[in-house]
Amino acid sequence: MIEGVKHIVAVASGKGGVGKSTVTANLALAMAAEGYRVGLLDADIYGPSQAQMLGIAPGTRPEVVGENSFRPIMAHGIQAMSMALMVDISEPMVWRGPMVAGAFQQLLNQTVWDDVDYLFIDMPPGTGDIQLTLAQKVPVDGAVIVTTPQDIALLDARKGIEMFRKVNVPVLGVVENMSLHVCSNCGHSEPIFGTGGGERIAEQYETRLLGQLPLTLGIREQADGGRPTVVAEPDSEVTATFRRVATAVVEGIAGQAEEGPSISFGD
């Protein structure tokens, strides 16, 4: 286990562009709104975005603890750590896979989490080095898969589910993002990315459809502005959906614990 952390939840997608980081930020904030102590680790070394989404000012650096550890930054009541807090975000990370995996391990092992109930890890797209490092080095309690309803996204979401199952990480369920486009002028809704994709993939892999989220201008603007929807509109239906997903994550992890002892991860 990671010291100071009780449960670890990976939030992943097989491909980029499905709103995974926005979902992760809001899900972490929703969990905090349910009364839990929450951490968020941005594992996307190449393109970290959580610092901006959580409204952390550019140039903010974590407090150094001891010789080589760091205290996470508090943002909207949750503890956050990201590569964006360690380097100049305008500089590209021109690193090969082993260096990226090493940086991820440093973020994991050198962050001093303060009694976190749930640590959400915002995974980079794909099924590469960081995903394997996480599965091999950390006892993950479960994974949440984010997808959109369109067939292309579902193809990659299946790969994400299969990857976690191969490394014995329980898949807690699927979040279908961008289920409906809601017009900001007239309120008309239209399923521009198709319908039922999240439900189909959940049924295929015998897991849960945790929630469906709309594609709206407000969700994007709020995330870009550093005040995700759960903070900006705590009484909205979107926030209520995120809180239901957070509750389902808690239930899913509790159910896994009841089924048997913790899984041992291979090398």
Side-chain angles (χ1 to χ4, degrees), residues 134-154:
L134 178 70
Q136 292 172 350
K137 303 296 184 182
V138 181
V140 181
D141 291 274
V144 173
I145 304 297
V146 180
T147 187
T148 60
Q150 66 187 114
D151 291 341
I152 296 298
L154 293 171

PDB file of all heavy atoms in Angstrom, residues 134-154:
ATOM      1  N   LEU A 134       1.625   0.711 -12.553  1.00  0.00           N
ATOM      2  CA  LEU A 134       0.623   0.817 -11.497  1.00  0.00           C
ATOM      3  C   LEU A 134       0.166  -0.568 -11.045  1.00  0.00           C
ATOM      4  O   LEU A 134       0.111  -0.864  -9.845  1.00  0.00           O
ATOM      5  CB  LEU A 134      -0.574   1.628 -11.993  1.00  0.00           C
ATOM      6  CG  LEU A 134      -1.726   1.785 -11.000  1.00  0.00           C
ATOM      7  CD1 LEU A 134      -1.329   2.689  -9.851  1.00  0.00           C
ATOM      8  CD2 LEU A 134      -2.976   2.318 -11.693  1.00  0.00           C
ATOM      9  N   ALA A 135      -0.152  -1.420 -12.004  1.00  0.00           N
ATOM     10  CA  ALA A 135      -0.676  -2.746 -11.666  1.00  0.00           C
ATOM     11  C   ALA A 135       0.359  -3.584 -10.932  1.00  0.00           C
ATOM     12  O   ALA A 135       0.006  -4.386 -10.058  1.00  0.00           O
ATOM     13  CB  ALA A 135      -1.130  -3.451 -12.936  1.00  0.00           C
ATOM     14  N   GLN A 136       1.635  -3.415 -11.270  1.00  0.00           N
ATOM     15  CA  GLN A 136       2.676  -4.245 -10.677  1.00  0.00           C
ATOM     16  C   GLN A 136       3.148  -3.734  -9.327  1.00  0.00           C
ATOM     17  O   GLN A 136       3.573  -4.513  -8.475  1.00  0.00           O
ATOM     18  CB  GLN A 136       3.863  -4.336 -11.640  1.00  0.00           C
ATOM     19  CG  GLN A 136       3.551  -5.113 -12.905  1.00  0.00           C
ATOM     20  CD  GLN A 136       4.664  -5.032 -13.932  1.00  0.00           C
ATOM     21  OE1 GLN A 136       5.603  -4.247 -13.784  1.00  0.00           O
ATOM     22  NE2 GLN A 136       4.576  -5.843 -14.975  1.00  0.00           N
ATOM     23  N   LYS A 137       3.090  -2.439  -9.115  1.00  0.00           N
ATOM     24  CA  LYS A 137       3.694  -1.842  -7.926  1.00  0.00           C
ATOM     25  C   LYS A 137       2.698  -1.457  -6.840  1.00  0.00           C
ATOM     26  O   LYS A 137       3.091  -1.261  -5.687  1.00  0.00           O
ATOM     27  CB  LYS A 137       4.489  -0.588  -8.330  1.00  0.00           C
ATOM     28  CG  LYS A 137       5.570  -0.826  -9.371  1.00  0.00           C
ATOM     29  CD  LYS A 137       6.660  -1.747  -8.872  1.00  0.00           C
ATOM     30  CE  LYS A 137       7.774  -1.889  -9.910  1.00  0.00           C
ATOM     31  NZ  LYS A 137       8.838  -2.825  -9.454  1.00  0.00           N
ATOM     32  N   VAL A 138       1.438  -1.340  -7.181  1.00  0.00           N
ATOM     33  CA  VAL A 138       0.457  -0.796  -6.237  1.00  0.00           C
ATOM     34  C   VAL A 138      -0.774  -1.691  -6.182  1.00  0.00           C
ATOM     35  O   VAL A 138      -1.294  -2.090  -7.237  1.00  0.00           O
ATOM     36  CB  VAL A 138       0.030   0.635  -6.655  1.00  0.00           C
ATOM     37  CG1 VAL A 138      -0.962   1.211  -5.659  1.00  0.00           C
ATOM     38  CG2 VAL A 138       1.239   1.546  -6.780  1.00  0.00           C
ATOM     39  N   PRO A 139      -1.270  -2.008  -4.982  1.00  0.00           N
ATOM     40  CA  PRO A 139      -2.516  -2.782  -4.871  1.00  0.00           C
ATOM     41  C   PRO A 139      -3.736  -1.899  -5.133  1.00  0.00           C
ATOM     42  O   PRO A 139      -4.272  -1.270  -4.231  1.00  0.00           O
ATOM     43  CB  PRO A 139      -2.485  -3.290  -3.425  1.00  0.00           C
ATOM     44  CG  PRO A 139      -1.675  -2.266  -2.695  1.00  0.00           C
ATOM     45  CD  PRO A 139      -0.669  -1.741  -3.662  1.00  0.00           C
ATOM     46  N   VAL A 140      -4.162  -1.849  -6.386  1.00  0.00           N
ATOM     47  CA  VAL A 140      -5.290  -1.000  -6.780  1.00  0.00           C
ATOM     48  C   VAL A 140      -6.597  -1.680  -6.398  1.00  0.00           C
ATOM     49  O   VAL A 140      -6.815  -2.851  -6.706  1.00  0.00           O
ATOM     50  CB  VAL A 140      -5.244  -0.728  -8.296  1.00  0.00           C
ATOM     51  CG1 VAL A 140      -6.405   0.172  -8.711  1.00  0.00           C
ATOM     52  CG2 VAL A 140      -3.917  -0.086  -8.682  1.00  0.00           C
ATOM     53  N   ASP A 141      -7.491  -0.943  -5.729  1.00  0.00           N
ATOM     54  CA  ASP A 141      -8.763  -1.521  -5.296  1.00  0.00           C
ATOM     55  C   ASP A 141      -9.750  -1.680  -6.440  1.00  0.00           C
ATOM     56  O   ASP A 141     -10.630  -2.542  -6.383  1.00  0.00           O
ATOM     57  CB  ASP A 141      -9.382  -0.638  -4.210  1.00  0.00           C
ATOM     58  CG  ASP A 141      -8.593  -0.696  -2.912  1.00  0.00           C
ATOM     59  OD1 ASP A 141      -8.837  -1.604  -2.105  1.00  0.00           O
ATOM     60  OD2 ASP A 141      -7.721   0.163  -2.715  1.00  0.00           O
ATOM     61  N   GLY A 142      -9.621  -0.851  -7.458  1.00  0.00           N
ATOM     62  CA  GLY A 142     -10.549  -0.968  -8.571  1.00  0.00           C
ATOM     63  C   GLY A 142     -10.296   0.101  -9.606  1.00  0.00           C
ATOM     64  O   GLY A 142      -9.593   1.090  -9.365  1.00  0.00           O
ATOM     65  N   ALA A 143     -10.871  -0.104 -10.796  1.00  0.00           N
ATOM     66  CA  ALA A 143     -10.727   0.836 -11.903  1.00  0.00           C
ATOM     67  C   ALA A 143     -12.095   1.278 -12.384  1.00  0.00           C
ATOM     68  O   ALA A 143     -13.044   0.493 -12.407  1.00  0.00           O
ATOM     69  CB  ALA A 143      -9.949   0.196 -13.045  1.00  0.00           C
ATOM     70  N   VAL A 144     -12.175   2.541 -12.761  1.00  0.00           N
ATOM     71  CA  VAL A 144     -13.359   3.097 -13.405  1.00  0.00           C
ATOM     72  C   VAL A 144     -12.975   3.418 -14.843  1.00  0.00           C
ATOM     73  O   VAL A 144     -11.967   4.089 -15.088  1.00  0.00           O
ATOM     74  CB  VAL A 144     -13.844   4.367 -12.685  1.00  0.00           C
ATOM     75  CG1 VAL A 144     -14.972   5.038 -13.471  1.00  0.00           C
ATOM     76  CG2 VAL A 144     -14.305   4.042 -11.269  1.00  0.00           C
ATOM     77  N   ILE A 145     -13.766   2.935 -15.795  1.00  0.00           N
ATOM     78  CA  ILE A 145     -13.486   3.152 -17.216  1.00  0.00           C
ATOM     79  C   ILE A 145     -14.402   4.256 -17.740  1.00  0.00           C
ATOM     80  O   ILE A 145     -15.626   4.194 -17.561  1.00  0.00           O
ATOM     81  CB  ILE A 145     -13.721   1.859 -18.032  1.00  0.00           C
ATOM     82  CG1 ILE A 145     -12.885   0.707 -17.476  1.00  0.00           C
ATOM     83  CG2 ILE A 145     -13.414   2.103 -19.500  1.00  0.00           C
ATOM     84  CD1 ILE A 145     -11.395   0.915 -17.552  1.00  0.00           C
ATOM     85  N   VAL A 146     -13.800   5.247 -18.396  1.00  0.00           N
ATOM     86  CA  VAL A 146     -14.560   6.351 -18.983  1.00  0.00           C
ATOM     87  C   VAL A 146     -14.589   6.184 -20.494  1.00  0.00           C
ATOM     88  O   VAL A 146     -13.548   5.946 -21.127  1.00  0.00           O
ATOM     89  CB  VAL A 146     -13.935   7.713 -18.624  1.00  0.00           C
ATOM     90  CG1 VAL A 146     -14.751   8.861 -19.242  1.00  0.00           C
ATOM     91  CG2 VAL A 146     -13.858   7.876 -17.109  1.00  0.00           C
ATOM     92  N   THR A 147     -15.761   6.302 -21.071  1.00  0.00           N
ATOM     93  CA  THR A 147     -15.903   6.185 -22.514  1.00  0.00           C
ATOM     94  C   THR A 147     -16.985   7.139 -22.992  1.00  0.00           C
ATOM     95  O   THR A 147     -17.716   7.731 -22.191  1.00  0.00           O
ATOM     96  CB  THR A 147     -16.257   4.736 -22.915  1.00  0.00           C
ATOM     97  OG1 THR A 147     -16.233   4.619 -24.345  1.00  0.00           O
ATOM     98  CG2 THR A 147     -17.640   4.335 -22.408  1.00  0.00           C
ATOM     99  N   THR A 148     -17.069   7.311 -24.295  1.00  0.00           N
ATOM    100  CA  THR A 148     -18.224   7.962 -24.905  1.00  0.00           C
ATOM    101  C   THR A 148     -19.032   6.874 -25.615  1.00  0.00           C
ATOM    102  O   THR A 148     -18.548   5.752 -25.790  1.00  0.00           O
ATOM    103  CB  THR A 148     -17.792   9.050 -25.915  1.00  0.00           C
ATOM    104  OG1 THR A 148     -17.000   8.445 -26.944  1.00  0.00           O
ATOM    105  CG2 THR A 148     -16.984  10.133 -25.222  1.00  0.00           C
ATOM    106  N   PRO A 149     -20.252   7.178 -26.050  1.00  0.00           N
ATOM    107  CA  PRO A 149     -21.083   6.114 -26.642  1.00  0.00           C
ATOM    108  C   PRO A 149     -20.635   5.643 -28.017  1.00  0.00           C
ATOM    109  O   PRO A 149     -21.085   4.586 -28.467  1.00  0.00           O
ATOM    110  CB  PRO A 149     -22.473   6.770 -26.732  1.00  0.00           C
ATOM    111  CG  PRO A 149     -22.428   7.963 -25.852  1.00  0.00           C
ATOM    112  CD  PRO A 149     -21.017   8.423 -25.860  1.00  0.00           C
ATOM    113  N   GLN A 150     -19.772   6.413 -28.695  1.00  0.00           N
ATOM    114  CA  GLN A 150     -19.459   6.069 -30.086  1.00  0.00           C
ATOM    115  C   GLN A 150     -18.633   4.798 -30.173  1.00  0.00           C
ATOM    116  O   GLN A 150     -17.861   4.440 -29.279  1.00  0.00           O
ATOM    117  CB  GLN A 150     -18.738   7.222 -30.778  1.00  0.00           C
ATOM    118  CG  GLN A 150     -17.354   7.518 -30.232  1.00  0.00           C
ATOM    119  CD  GLN A 150     -16.778   8.779 -30.839  1.00  0.00           C
ATOM    120  OE1 GLN A 150     -16.564   9.771 -30.166  1.00  0.00           O
ATOM    121  NE2 GLN A 150     -16.521   8.736 -32.132  1.00  0.00           N
ATOM    122  N   ASP A 151     -18.767   4.090 -31.279  1.00  0.00           N
ATOM    123  CA  ASP A 151     -18.158   2.778 -31.447  1.00  0.00           C
ATOM    124  C   ASP A 151     -16.634   2.826 -31.349  1.00  0.00           C
ATOM    125  O   ASP A 151     -16.016   1.915 -30.789  1.00  0.00           O
ATOM    126  CB  ASP A 151     -18.563   2.170 -32.797  1.00  0.00           C
ATOM    127  CG  ASP A 151     -20.036   1.789 -32.829  1.00  0.00           C
ATOM    128  OD1 ASP A 151     -20.627   1.648 -31.737  1.00  0.00           O
ATOM    129  OD2 ASP A 151     -20.594   1.639 -33.925  1.00  0.00           O
ATOM    130  N   ILE A 152     -15.997   3.865 -31.900  1.00  0.00           N
ATOM    131  CA  ILE A 152     -14.539   3.960 -31.872  1.00  0.00           C
ATOM    132  C   ILE A 152     -14.038   4.042 -30.433  1.00  0.00           C
ATOM    133  O   ILE A 152     -13.053   3.393 -30.055  1.00  0.00           O
ATOM    134  CB  ILE A 152     -14.055   5.174 -32.684  1.00  0.00           C
ATOM    135  CG1 ILE A 152     -14.417   5.017 -34.158  1.00  0.00           C
ATOM    136  CG2 ILE A 152     -12.564   5.370 -32.523  1.00  0.00           C
ATOM    137  CD1 ILE A 152     -13.779   3.811 -34.821  1.00  0.00           C
ATOM    138  N   ALA A 153     -14.698   4.846 -29.605  1.00  0.00           N
ATOM    139  CA  ALA A 153     -14.303   4.945 -28.198  1.00  0.00           C
ATOM    140  C   ALA A 153     -14.533   3.638 -27.472  1.00  0.00           C
ATOM    141  O   ALA A 153     -13.741   3.227 -26.612  1.00  0.00           O
ATOM    142  CB  ALA A 153     -15.078   6.076 -27.522  1.00  0.00           C
ATOM    143  N   LEU A 154     -15.619   2.943 -27.803  1.00  0.00           N
ATOM    144  CA  LEU A 154     -15.922   1.678 -27.136  1.00  0.00           C
ATOM    145  C   LEU A 154     -14.881   0.606 -27.445  1.00  0.00           C
ATOM    146  O   LEU A 154     -14.555  -0.223 -26.592  1.00  0.00           O
ATOM    147  CB  LEU A 154     -17.311   1.196 -27.552  1.00  0.00           C
ATOM    148  CG  LEU A 154     -18.484   2.061 -27.081  1.00  0.00           C
ATOM    149  CD1 LEU A 154     -19.773   1.601 -27.748  1.00  0.00           C
ATOM    150  CD2 LEU A 154     -18.618   2.002 -25.565  1.00  0.00           C
TER     151      LEU A 154
END
